[in-house]
Every structure is written in structure tokens, then in C-alpha cells.
Amino acid sequence: MTRVETRTVLAEHTTLRLGGPARELVVAETAEDLVAAVRAAGDRVLLLGGGSNLVIGDDGFDGTVVKIATRGWRLDGAEVEVAAGQNWDEFVAGVVEAGFGGLECLSGIPGSVGATPIQNVGAYGCEVADLLTSVECYDRRTGEVRTMTAADLGFAYRTSVLKGTDTGIVLSVRFALREDGLSAPIRYAELARKLGVELGVRVPAAQARAAVLELRRGKGMVLDPVDQDTWSAGSFFTNPIVAEDVLADVEMPRYPAEGGVKLSAAWLIEHAGFGKGYPGPGGRVSLSSKHTLALTNRGGATTADLLALAREVRDGVRAKFGVTLHPEPLLINCSL
Ligand SMILES: Cc1cc2nc3c(=O)[nH]c(=O)nc-3n(C[C@H](O)[C@H](O)[C@H](O)COP(=O)(O)OP(=O)(O)OC[C@H]3O[C@@H](n4cnc5c(N)ncnc54)[C@H](O)[C@@H]3O)c2cc1C
């Protein structure tokens, strides 16, 4: 079934609680309706899952917003096919409960399953690319539905060939889970410490999920309507990947990465003078009081306020370290 709403304020559909009106919002509850809605929308279309990785301008979106509200998953042995609009964390909780491992480190990430391949979501040493086998995708350029394998999706750190294009609409996603109910090898030092194990060890998936959720809550990274530290889009900046000799003389966290080394955006922000809770214009936005990498709406903010703070942080880091931070969320009808 499809529902159409007019004069919807997009702030009601984003975790930042920001964004002006949409010309039209169509809610699609089946894959067929989703394809039909996208076909009917023409050129000006914005796909919306949980709105947890979107910064939408105060003028909103002068086109059709298609809200993906398909639900459910189907297990076939350790293979699972999930509808794009399914809430991600409900799905992770469900498969962990059913005794499957592999996705537990991605517990607590807000949003929908269909959005996870878009930026290859990741946390605590894992990313969806580790277990994703393929997606069913409606290609707006050809008007056809096709299967894209993990290789077709061109996964890299927080990106894929689909990010920022809106040409491929993910209808469903397939994962190959671990049948033994154990986690993927623990690769993240903070998580290993929390679990009291060495790096590389595998633990029961449910145990890893519980530890991840606890760590994330402490950083304001699990949505909570009464905690304004979670009124964010998660990490606002990606960790910059730079050549190995950049800032080599400064003692800071550095991780091996394809094409150089990955620096910690949170460390750079903090050491450029922007501590936890650093306020933006009028105190209506601020860095999260639990994590410097999340920009948060403290109530009554506009997207312009948020972007002013983002610019101040980006420019401050550039002035101090000569490294330019790039936003992780998609910016719609606004720019940094
Ligand atoms: C508190 C918090 C913590 C977070 N933690 C993490 C984290 O640990 N790791 C991480 O990687 N991310 C994290 N995020 C970011 C975000 O949750 C993920 O990127 C998530 O996958 C976005 O899902 P969504 O359904 O909300 O996408 P939306 O914000 O609705 O959409 C994001 C983009 O994907 C497009 N899109 C959505 N669905 C589809 C589809 N089916 N087909 C094609 N395009 C589509 C949209 O058009 C948009 O361009 C966090 C966000 C918050 C608020």
C-alpha cells in the first residue's frame, strides 16, 4: 500500500530533527509500490529510510520524498534476505536471538537495512561489506530491477558506488550469517577490553551485541528520544585517510588504511580546541557532550545553525593540522 502526504516537514523524519518541507512524501509499504513511487516521481526524488544519515536544508526538498516502509526478513539456512525498509537494529537483534553470528558488532546503528550498503555502515571493527552477498536494486537509469553483488557495489570505507547518486534503489539485501552463533573475530581494542578477551577472539554473538550496545550508549550513539546527545546523524565527519608522511611527527592515533593512514577525526577535533559539548550558534546546536564527532540539535535549531558549527569545526581542524574533514551524512539542498 502507498500513502501520500503533502506539506510534511522533513524534520519529523530525520534523527537530527532538522529539514524543511517536502513537496510530497510518499510512503511505500511494498517493494512494488516503492518501484512505482520512484517511477512516478520523475527526476526530483529523495529516498528516505530512517533519516539517520541525512542533513536536509531549511528550505526542505522541492520534489517527491519516498519513505521506504517495507518490512521483514526471510531466513534460508544461514542466508537471509531482508526488506530495505526493515529497521536495522530490530533485524540484528532478531538474527542474534535466532542464534546467528556476524552482524553483532553493528548493533545499535539506527536506520534501515536498505541504507546500510549505501555507505557500507561500520562500527567496532566490522562493516556490512563483511557479510553482505548481494542486493536487489531498482536502477532508475534503465528502469530495471537487477541483482548487484558485493563486488558490483564497490565497497570502501563509509562508501559504495551507490552513495550520493540516488540512481540505485535498494529493494532488499542478502547476508550470509555465521551458523555457529559466535561473533566475528573481535578486532576493536575497546570492545575486546570490554569483553575481557584478546583481539581476534570470537565470543557468543549475544554477548558481543550487549557489550557493543553498552559502549554505544555511553557515547550517545544509540537513539534515545530523551537524550539530546543522540539527536544527531551519528559521526558527522569521516576519519580522514592521508599519505603516511602527513603529521607523522605528531603523536596521535593512526590506523593502516588503503592508500595511506587513517587518522581519528574525533582526536583532530578535540585537539583543535573543540571539546565535548562545544556550542554552536545560540547554543541551539553543539558537539555531543559524550562524543566530539557527533553534531547535535539541542532543540529549536535550524540546519543553518548545524552547518555553521560544522564549518567552524572543519576550518579549525584545517587551520591547526592542515587536514580537511569531510561530512559523512548526505547533505540535501544545503552544503558545507
Ligand atoms: C546516533 C547515530 C549513530 C550512528 N552510528 C553509525 C555507525 O556506527 N556506523 C555507521 O556507519 N553509521 C552510523 N550512523 C549513520 C546512519 O545510522 C547509517 O548511515 C544508516 O545506515 C542510515 O540509515 P537510514 O535508513 O536512516 O538512511 P537515511 O538517512 O534515510 O538515508 C541515507 C542515504 O541513503 C539513501 N537511501 C536510504 N535508503 C535507501 C535505499 N533503500 N536505496 C537507495 N538509497 C537509499 C538516502 O537517499 C540517503 O541518501 C549513525 C547515526 C546516528 C543518528
Side-chain angles (χ1 to χ4, degrees):
M1 216 186 81
T2 310
R3 283 183 286 120
V4 181
E5 298 170 14
T6 48
R7 287 191 289 280
T8 300
V9 175
L10 291 168
E12 290 166 15
H13 294 273
T14 62
T15 52
L16 270 165
R17 298 163 195 235
L18 295 175
R23 189 168 68 202
E24 174 185 63
L25 181 130
V26 178
V27 183
E29 291 174 357
T30 67
E32 294 70 31
D33 288 348
L34 175 52
V35 170
V38 170
R39 279 196 176 126
D43 285 346
R44 300 279 301 155
V45 64
L46 170 65
L47 275 301
L48 177 68
S52 62
N53 211 28
L54 281 172
V55 180
I56 300 175
D58 293 312
D59 291 338
F61 185 71
D62 184 23
T64 302
V65 176
V66 179
K67 168 102 181 161
I68 305 170
T70 55
R71 292 276 180 275
W73 64 90
R74 201 164 37 86
L75 271 160
D76 179 8
E79 301 272 315
V80 63
E81 180 169 8
V82 203
Q86 170 63 45
N87 174 272
W88 170 257
D89 193 52
E90 267 175 34
F91 161 63
V92 175
V95 291
V96 169
E97 172 95 30
F100 294 98
L103 295 177
E104 57 289 325
C105 288
L106 304 176
S107 292
I109 298 180
S112 62
V113 168
T116 60
I118 306 295
Q119 73 151 2
N120 183 20
V121 303
Y124 294 96
C126 292
E127 46 189 26
V128 285
D130 299 341
L131 293 192
L132 186 148
T133 51
S134 65
V135 301
E136 284 303 290
C137 190
Y138 172 70
D139 188 330
R140 287 177 65 213
R141 291 162 305 188
T142 62
E144 281 169 12
V145 174
R146 64 181 178 124
T147 302
M148 292 180 80
T149 63
D152 297 333
L153 288 162
F155 286 129
Y157 167 62
R158 274 333 143 261
T159 196
S160 74
V161 295
L162 298 179
K163 188 163 179 177
T165 68
D166 268 354
T167 52
I169 317 303
V170 176
L171 304 176
S172 63
V173 185
R174 283 191 207 92
F175 296 99
L177 305 171
R178 307 181 81 117
E179 265 173 307
D180 58 11
L182 293 180
S183 70
I186 303 296
R187 295 189 204 108
Y188 202 81
E190 185 189 22
L191 179 59
R193 275 196 303 278
K194 179 96 193 152
L195 288 162
V197 299
E198 296 292 315
L199 283 174
V201 165
R202 300 174 62 207
V203 301
Q207 200 180 321
R209 173 173 165 79
V212 165
L213 285 174
E214 210 181 312
L215 287 173
R216 291 185 68 96
R217 282 200 189 93
K219 297 176 188 169
M221 286 292 177
V222 177
L223 289 185
D224 177 350
V226 298
D227 180 358
Q228 285 174 337
D229 278 329
T230 74
W231 297 13
S232 75
S235 302
F236 194 88
F237 295 105
T238 50
N239 291 321
I241 295 175
V242 297
E244 288 202 19
D245 58 348
V246 172
L247 297 169
D249 51 339
V250 183
E251 207 172 303
M252 67 165 93
R254 301 166 74 84
Y255 309 96
E258 223 177 289
V261 285
K262 200 196 279 178
L263 307 180
S264 158
W267 188 96
L268 293 168
I269 291 170
E270 248 173 275
H271 289 80
F274 304 100
K276 288 179 182 145
Y278 182 88
R284 294 182 296 274
V285 290
S286 77
L287 299 189
S288 159
S289 70
K290 301 188 181 82
H291 199 319
T292 43
L293 206 41
L295 272 64
T296 62
N297 177 356
R298 310 314 287 188
T302 61
T303 304
D305 293 333
L306 184 91
L307 293 174
L309 175 61
R311 274 182 215 115
E312 190 185 345
V313 170
R314 179 200 57 191
D315 296 348
V317 168
R318 190 157 48 200
K320 172 98 181 176
F321 295 109
V323 172
T324 302
L325 297 179
H326 295 284
E328 182 183 304
L330 277 296
L331 272 57
I332 307 295
N333 205 11
C334 60
S335 57
L336 249 199

